[in-house]
Amino acid sequence: MKKAVGRRQAEKRAQEIVEQHHLAEPPLDVEALCRGEGIVVVRERLPPDTSAVLVRDPSGQRVIGLNQAHAANRQRFSLAHELGHALLHFPAEPPMTADAVVDRPLEVLFRDGIAGKGTNAIEIDANSFAAALLMPPEMVERLLRQIWDQNRSLSTDQAVADLAARFQVSEQAMRYRLINLGYLEPS
């Protein structure tokens, strides 16, 4: 099992990616970020309960497979989640040990129902990374202020929907992000 880095470190790494690539406006192009990190992205037919899979072959090459049957916003979050795993838990070049053998095993990590339950530490890392990458705090705050400034009578649900559309994430993901950033109270 890979070692968890913790929510704060995962979010910090996502922020570093945003800054490193000078990303200022949503939606962020997660697929381009993956390519920039040398990660291949493919869309495939996967079991319905599997959103994505991260594979690191013996040479260290990482490949993310996305479930092509899932909605575009779900694919974006799954891709960001797997990018988080790749950067936090599966570096491109696996560390060599004194007892390493020539034939390294194929490593596979599935994004399935377990990832969304919030009980596995490395899955929490990857979810935190994905949320911070797709919905960076500064961008969320700036656009939330713009939305409220344009229409102060806007309902919370409509503000969440507007932000979700702008960031190309689900309304559920945006609501959860706004709660974590302290803009909404949990219901």
Side-chain angles (χ1 to χ4, degrees):
M1 178 61 74
K2 300 299 174 196
K3 185 176 178 184
V5 299
R7 180 177 164 215
R8 287 181 193 242
Q9 187 62 32
E11 289 183 8
K12 180 181 177 197
R13 183 67 176 109
Q15 183 61 38
E16 289 169 356
I17 295 291
V18 169
E19 291 171 4
Q20 175 186 348
H21 293 276
H22 308 287
L23 304 172
E25 292 298 323
L28 305 183
D29 187 345
V30 185
E31 204 157 339
L33 292 174
C34 288
R35 284 191 304 271
E37 294 294 330
I39 299 168
V40 176
V41 178
V42 295
R43 285 172 173 73
E44 296 286 337
R45 286 187 179 267
L46 297 173
D49 67 338
T50 301
S51 299
V53 59
L54 171 64
V55 177
R56 182 173 65 184
D57 71 18
S59 74
Q61 174 64 58
R62 296 163 298 175
V63 177
I64 296 173
L66 290 174
N67 192 333
Q68 66 187 14
H70 287 180
N73 287 347
R74 184 165 183 185
Q75 287 184 39
R76 278 177 48 74
F77 195 90
S78 295
L79 184 56
H81 176 99
E82 296 305 329
L83 176 59
H85 277 309
L87 297 178
L88 301 170
H89 309 121
F90 287 86
E93 293 298 329
M96 294 294 290
T97 61
D99 59 346
V101 293
V102 174
D103 294 323
R104 293 187 187 150
L106 183 69
E107 295 180 276
V108 180
L109 187 63
F110 291 93
R111 176 161 167 68
D112 54 19
I114 294 171
K117 293 188 191 305
T119 57
N120 179 295
I122 68 166
E123 295 303 329
I124 292 169
D125 287 351
N127 282 337
S128 296
F129 177 92
L133 182 72
L134 294 173
M135 300 167 277
E138 297 79 17
M139 286 185 212
V140 170
E141 181 176 353
R142 179 172 44 85
L143 292 173
L144 182 59
R145 287 181 192 276
Q146 285 177 5
I147 288 171
W148 287 122
D149 287 347
Q150 291 170 1
N151 186 353
R152 296 213 180 255
S153 64
L154 197 64
S155 71
T156 300
D157 288 343
Q158 188 58 54
V160 168
D162 288 356
L163 285 170
R166 182 73 189 266
F167 284 86
Q168 292 184 1
V169 297
S170 69
E171 289 182 26
Q172 179 183 9
M174 181 53 72
R175 185 172 299 277
Y176 191 70
R177 185 67 172 150
L178 291 171
I179 289 168
N180 281 336
L181 293 174
Y183 296 112
L184 291 179
E185 292 292 323
S187 46

